[in-house]
Amino acid sequence: MPEPLPPLQPLRRLNLALQGGGSHGALTWGVLDALLEDGHWQFDGVSGTSAGAMNAVAMAHGFAKAAHEHKDPQEAHLAGCVAARETLTRLWEGVGTLGSLMWGSPLSAANPMMGMMRQWLSPYQTNPLNINPLRRLLEREVDFELLGSAHRSNAASQGPKVFVCATNVRTGRGEIFSGPRLSADAVMASACLPMLFKAVEIDGEHYWDGGYSGNPALHPLIYQTETSDILLVQINPIEHLELPHSGQEIMERMNEVTFNASLLAELRAIEFVRRLLAEGKLDARRYKSVRMHRIDGGAVLAPFGADSKTRADMSFVRKLFALGRAAGQEWLHAHHKDVGVRPTIKITDNA
C-alpha cells in the first residue's frame, strides 16, 4: 500500500459522519482510503452507524496504534494514515472472504424462501445461537482497549474521537457509545438488524441498529469536538425517482426513508442555527456555525439496488472500494479549499 503524501502545510481539521448500509459500507472504505492517502487532514471526530461504525473504529484503531508506537506528532500522524488504511483493508477483505455470511445468508432477501420466513419468524427462532461472523472479524482487527486509552489521553495525535450510535429497544432513542463505553458490543449493537439478529445487551439494556435513531448522529460531532466542518459520507439515497410497486420495492423504500429521517432532521437544525447566527439572532460564543460537506454515495450505489446491501463477495466489495476512492478523490479535488471557509451543500427540505 502506498505511503501517504507528507503534509506540505498545517493539517486541516475535519469531522467525519459515516452512514451505515450493509456491504455498501465498502464504498465508504474507498472514500476514507482517498482521504488518508492525501494525508493533509486531522480528523477530530468520527461518528458512525452500523457499517459506518465499523469503518470508524477501524480507522481510529490505525491512528491509536501509530500514536502508541511514535512519540513525534507528525510521525504519528503519517504512520496513523498508513495504519488506518491497512486496518480498513484487512477488515473489508475479511468481509469479502466471509462473503454473504456477513449481511444476510441464509436470511437474505436473495433467498426467497427465507425472505418469506423472516416475515413470520424472528431471529430468536431462525438464528437461536445468534451467529454473526462479523463480530470475530471485528475483534481480530480492532483493539478496543487501545481505543479507550487513546480517548482518555484526549490528544489529537492519538487519532479521532469515535461516536457510535445504537437504538435503545426500550426507549426507542439513539444512544451514543464513545470513550470507555466503546466496545465490540457497541459496534455490533449499532449494526443489529432486528429481523436478522437478537438485540445486543449492554449494561442491562438492549439495542438494535443505530440507523433507526441516527444514521449517523451528527450532534456528538457538534458538541464534543472543536471542529466546525463535517464531511458526511452518505450511502443511503434520499431521493428515489421511480414509484415502488412490488412489496419488496415498497419495503426497501420505507427502509431508506426511515434510515434517513433522523439525519435530515439534524441537517435542518444545523441550517436553522446557521441562519440565525448569520442574522445575529444567536450568540456566536454559545452556538457553533457548522459547515456541512457531503459525498453522495447513495447516487453512486443506486444502480445496484437495495438488495446488494447483503452482497459481500470479494469482487463486489472491491468494486465498491474503487467507486468510493474515485468519489473521495473527486471531492478532494473539488472542495478541499472550502473546508474551514464555507459549507459545500445547501440544506433544504429535500436535502
Side-chain angles (χ1 to χ4, degrees):
M1 183 175 291
E3 296 284 334
L5 295 174
L8 301 177
Q9 56 189 12
L11 296 177
R12 310 184 76 176
R13 299 174 69 170
L14 185 65
N15 285 330
L16 297 174
L18 311 179
Q19 270 201 330
S23 63
H24 286 183
L27 184 134
T28 303
W29 165 36
V31 170
L32 296 177
D33 193 77
L35 295 175
L36 293 163
E37 182 182 53
D38 182 76
H40 294 105
W41 304 95
Q42 176 183 314
F43 303 105
D44 288 348
V46 185
S47 178
T49 295
S50 193
M54 296 169 204
N55 279 318
V57 296
M59 176 182 168
H61 166 87
F63 280 103
K65 180 174 181 291
H68 183 70
E69 297 171 352
H70 300 271
K71 301 307 177 186
D72 178 76
Q74 183 173 8
E75 288 182 3
H77 173 77
L78 294 173
C81 289
V82 174
R85 294 177 73 193
E86 291 173 345
T87 305
L88 284 160
T89 297
R90 289 194 303 270
L91 177 68
W92 282 100
E93 287 186 347
V95 169
T97 299
L98 289 169
S100 59
L101 287 172
M102 302 302 288
W103 271 290
S105 180
L107 304 175
S108 73
N111 184 330
M113 182 61 69
M114 293 307 298
M116 288 188 289
M117 287 178 62
R118 280 169 50 192
Q119 299 180 34
W120 304 102
L121 301 177
S122 82
Y124 295 85
Q125 297 164 299
T126 59
N127 188 11
L129 299 180
N130 207 31
I131 296 171
N132 189 339
L134 181 59
R135 184 189 183 96
R136 183 175 296 179
L137 173 62
L138 185 69
E139 291 176 332
R140 187 181 74 202
E141 300 301 340
V142 177
D143 185 338
F144 286 93
E145 184 175 341
L146 184 63
L147 285 184
S149 175
H151 183 93
R152 288 190 295 273
S153 74
N154 203 31
S157 60
Q158 301 291 317
K161 296 179 180 178
V162 179
F163 308 98
V164 167
C165 182
T167 303
N168 186 304
V169 179
R170 179 178 60 84
T171 67
R173 297 173 181 168
E175 189 164 332
I176 302 300
F177 292 87
S178 188
R181 297 193 71 205
L182 188 61
S183 64
D185 280 340
V187 178
M188 297 313 298
S190 182
C192 179
L193 290 171
M195 294 308 294
L196 288 180
F197 303 107
K198 297 179 181 180
V200 177
E201 183 176 358
I202 303 174
D203 298 331
E205 295 282 359
H206 292 84
Y207 297 90
W208 282 338
D209 196 295
Y212 297 110
S213 53
N215 192 23
L218 302 181
H219 61 88
L221 299 175
I222 298 171
Y223 295 111
Q224 298 187 48
T225 77
E226 297 299 320
T227 299
S228 296
D229 289 86
I230 299 176
L231 173 59
L232 168 65
V233 184
Q234 193 164 359
I235 57 177
N236 281 318
I238 291 179
E239 294 188 354
H240 194 90
L241 299 180
E242 297 181 2
L243 179 68
H245 289 93
S246 71
Q248 182 175 332
E249 290 172 344
I250 292 170
M251 185 63 67
E252 289 169 355
R253 184 55 184 155
M254 287 171 59
N255 286 336
E256 289 172 351
V257 171
T258 300
F259 274 45
N260 278 325
S262 57
L263 172 65
L264 290 175
E266 286 199 278
L267 288 174
R268 291 169 188 143
I270 287 170
E271 183 65 16
F272 181 60
V273 171
R274 277 185 58 82
R275 187 166 66 249
L276 293 180
L277 284 169
E279 295 171 356
K281 296 178 179 178
L282 289 178
D283 185 348
R285 295 170 299 180
R286 297 183 58 194
Y287 295 91
K288 182 189 290 187
S289 182
V290 175
R291 294 178 289 269
M292 287 299 306
H293 313 273
R294 176 167 60 194
I295 293 176
D296 188 4
V300 176
L301 292 162
F304 297 104
D307 274 358
S308 62
K309 290 181 181 181
T310 62
R311 179 184 171 188
D313 56 274
M314 188 70 79
S315 63
F316 186 61
V317 166
R318 286 175 174 163
K319 183 172 186 176
L320 296 187
F321 167 76
L323 290 171
R325 260 186 67 86
Q329 290 168 339
E330 181 180 343
W331 181 84
L332 285 168
H333 178 73
H335 297 301
H336 75 281
K337 292 182 180 179
D338 295 316
V339 175
V341 179
R342 64 179 69 86
T344 56
I345 61 172
K346 181 174 177 57
I347 302 168
T348 62
D349 285 342
N350 59 356

